[in-house]
């Protein structure tokens, strides 16, 4: 008998066929987030749950109580802050995620935010389209900042951080500073990256890039005191999670000129409130949490998550467990 699986999100035909080959599959077909009452009913007799951080409820004790047969939860995401790790461990439920697959794609976006913010690409695109580029326009009004040969500070030198460092060092001849829980000798050797304490990085970097996972230790890692340490000409880039910064402190730092600008893929509240002051700032580039949002990468992540789930349910080790 095939193990029962519930996909709490819409999936491609390719993923559906793969899961159906190995499992008895039911799935949410309505789009958007599956309602809790539907999810709790569907998982009452399944062994596998296929989901993502935005697709369903937190994977916590309350949910796990309703899924007594559950063996594995497979997340279509590199992040897993929707997992209560202790609750999963307690019930011997394996959690998996999809790292590696999206490294290069997220690194592309991070560098796109650096370039867009420094060279004011979004702001000046709007300037041209609004018919404000006139023969009398002062050329200096379009000036931005150089990116090449500047200093990039990376907070969180994981796989994606290293992919960004590679672009910065070899594509733009930038100096690399980094802060991480542990030293990364390979990154230091390959990209001439220099490890430093957070306060030092913040005071020296022209671009500060936050690339940490969301954990109790990184919650609001960047706050009022951290933004004060940055150069007035510095640009802050966040492609981690919205809760890794104190968003109000960032707003104040931008409003008072403590820092020059920001490029943001993630926000404290998502979707962002239309009244959020960040949306009115010309020096801030905002995109809707699109780190991995290319068709090729999203398809690869979805299949990797399916492979993780099937591996566990067929008695094999998962490719990408979130804990061992």
């Amino acid at each position: 008998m095939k193990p029962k699986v519930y996909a709490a999100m819409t999936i491609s035909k390719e993923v559906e066929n793969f899961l159906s080959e190995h499992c008895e599959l039911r799935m949410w077909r309505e789009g958007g987030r599956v309602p809790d009452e539907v999810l709790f009913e569907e998982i009452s007799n399944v062994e596998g749950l296929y989901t993502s951080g935005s697709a369903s409820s937190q994977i916590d004790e309350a949910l796990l109580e309703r899924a007594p047969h559950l063996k594995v939860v497979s997340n279509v995401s590199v992040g897993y802050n929707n997992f209560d790790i202790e609750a999963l461990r307690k019930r011997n439920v394996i959690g998996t995620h999809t790292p590696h697959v999206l490294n290069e794609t997220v690194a592309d976006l991070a560098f796109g935010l650096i370039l867009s913010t420094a060279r004011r690409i979004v702001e000046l695109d709007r300037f041209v389209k609004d018919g404000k580029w006139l023969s009398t326009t002062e050329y200096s009004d379009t000036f931005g900042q150089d990116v090449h040969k500047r200093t990039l500070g990376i907070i969180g030198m994981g796989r994606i951080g290293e992919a960004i460092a590679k672009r910065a060092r070899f594509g733009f001849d930038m100096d690399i500073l980094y802060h991480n829980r542990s030293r990364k000798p390979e990154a230091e050797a390959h990209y001439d990256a220099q490890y430093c304490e957070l306060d030092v990085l913040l005071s020296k970097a022209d671009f500060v890039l936050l690339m940490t996972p969301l954990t109790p230790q990184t919650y609001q890692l960047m706050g009022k005191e951290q933004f004060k340490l940055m150069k007035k000409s510095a640009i802050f880039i966040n492609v981690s999670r919205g809760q890794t910064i104190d968003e109000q402190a960032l707003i104040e730092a931008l409003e008072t000129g403590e820092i020059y600008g920001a490029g943001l893929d993630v926000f404290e509240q998502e979707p962002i409130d239309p009244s959020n002051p960040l949306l009115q700032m010309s020096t801030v580039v905002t995109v809707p949490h699109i780190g991995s949002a290319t068709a090729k990468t999203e398809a690869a992540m979805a299949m990797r998550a399916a492979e993780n789930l099937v591996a566990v349910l067929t008695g094999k080790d998962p490719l990408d467990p979130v804990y061992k």
Side-chain angles (χ1 to χ4, degrees):
M1 182 179 295
K2 291 181 178 179
K4 293 182 172 65
V5 165
Y6 183 65
M9 55 194 292
T10 55
I11 58 178
S12 70
K13 197 65 180 175
E14 183 182 15
V15 170
E16 180 181 347
N17 289 342
F18 177 79
L19 288 174
S20 296
E21 180 183 348
H22 300 279
C23 310
E24 182 182 319
L25 175 66
R26 297 196 306 273
M27 70 188 81
W28 174 248
R29 298 181 183 273
E30 306 301 318
R33 187 177 182 275
V34 57
D36 284 350
E37 60 271 19
V38 174
L39 177 66
F40 292 159
E41 181 178 350
E42 290 284 1
I43 64 174
S44 62
N45 66 344
V46 302
E47 295 173 66
L49 175 61
Y50 182 97
T51 187
S52 72
S54 60
S56 65
S57 297
Q58 290 289 109
I59 310 302
D60 56 13
E61 186 67 33
L63 180 142
L64 294 172
E65 280 182 0
R66 292 170 167 83
H69 307 289
L70 197 62
K71 296 179 179 177
V72 57
V73 181
S74 185
N75 230 26
V76 188
S77 170
V78 65
Y80 47 88
N81 48 290
N82 58 317
F83 284 1
D84 181 334
I85 300 297
E86 289 309 310
L88 288 167
R89 283 183 185 274
K90 176 181 171 183
R91 293 179 177 269
N92 294 315
V93 176
I94 295 172
T96 69
H97 63 147
T98 57
H100 311 296
V101 181
L102 47 57
N103 295 350
E104 301 296 336
T105 302
V106 176
D108 285 349
L109 176 71
F111 228 89
L113 288 171
I114 290 171
L115 290 167
S116 296
T117 310
R119 294 303 306 271
R120 302 170 58 195
I121 291 172
V122 175
E123 177 191 357
L124 294 175
D125 170 75
R126 189 177 302 117
F127 177 81
V128 173
K129 289 177 178 174
D130 287 347
K132 295 179 181 179
W133 184 25
L134 308 173
S135 59
T136 54
T137 299
E138 289 289 337
Y139 189 48
S140 60
D141 289 345
T142 65
F143 285 2
Q145 294 190 30
D146 284 327
V147 175
H148 67 280
K149 295 186 181 296
R150 306 290 297 286
T151 298
L152 173 63
I154 301 174
I155 305 171
M157 187 65 93
R159 293 175 296 269
I160 300 172
E162 290 196 34
I164 295 165
K166 178 181 178 181
R167 287 158 173 74
R169 184 61 180 158
F170 299 127
F172 290 83
D173 200 22
M174 299 180 82
D175 292 326
I176 311 296
L177 306 177
Y178 80 98
H179 179 74
N180 201 59
R181 286 178 299 178
S182 58
R183 297 281 291 266
K184 291 297 185 80
E186 288 190 3
E188 294 175 15
H190 292 164
Y191 314 121
D192 199 23
Q194 297 180 43
Y195 174 84
C196 54
E197 294 301 323
L198 181 59
D199 289 0
V200 174
L201 181 151
L202 294 172
S203 66
K204 290 187 174 183
D206 297 303
F207 300 89
V208 172
L209 171 71
L210 188 56
M211 199 61 256
T212 62
L214 177 61
T215 67
Q217 292 72 38
T218 63
Y219 175 74
Q220 293 196 347
L221 177 65
M222 290 291 297
K224 185 175 293 188
E225 293 307 312
Q226 287 71 38
F227 289 119
K228 280 183 179 179
L229 290 171
M230 291 171 61
K231 298 178 180 179
K232 290 187 180 297
S233 59
I235 291 172
F236 175 70
I237 306 293
N238 191 9
V239 284
S240 60
R241 287 291 186 269
Q243 293 77 20
T244 55
I245 74 168
D246 179 340
E247 198 167 276
Q248 186 55 44
L250 173 62
I251 291 169
E252 291 173 8
L254 290 160
E255 287 178 337
T256 59
E258 285 182 350
I259 64 173
Y260 172 83
L264 306 172
D265 182 43
V266 291
F267 304 90
E268 210 165 55
Q269 172 189 326
E270 295 182 1
I272 189 171
D273 188 324
S275 66
N276 191 309
L278 291 169
L279 301 183
Q280 308 306 317
M281 297 180 182
S282 61
T283 58
V284 177
V285 176
T286 55
V287 291
H289 202 152
I290 59 167
S292 61
T294 69
K296 182 178 179 180
T297 296
E298 289 291 337
M301 290 171 63
M303 184 54 73
R304 183 78 171 193
E307 291 168 350
N308 275 320
L309 185 142
V310 167
V312 174
L313 295 180
T314 55
K316 301 181 182 68
D317 291 332
L319 302 168
D320 309 295
V322 299
Y323 63 86
K324 303 229 181 183

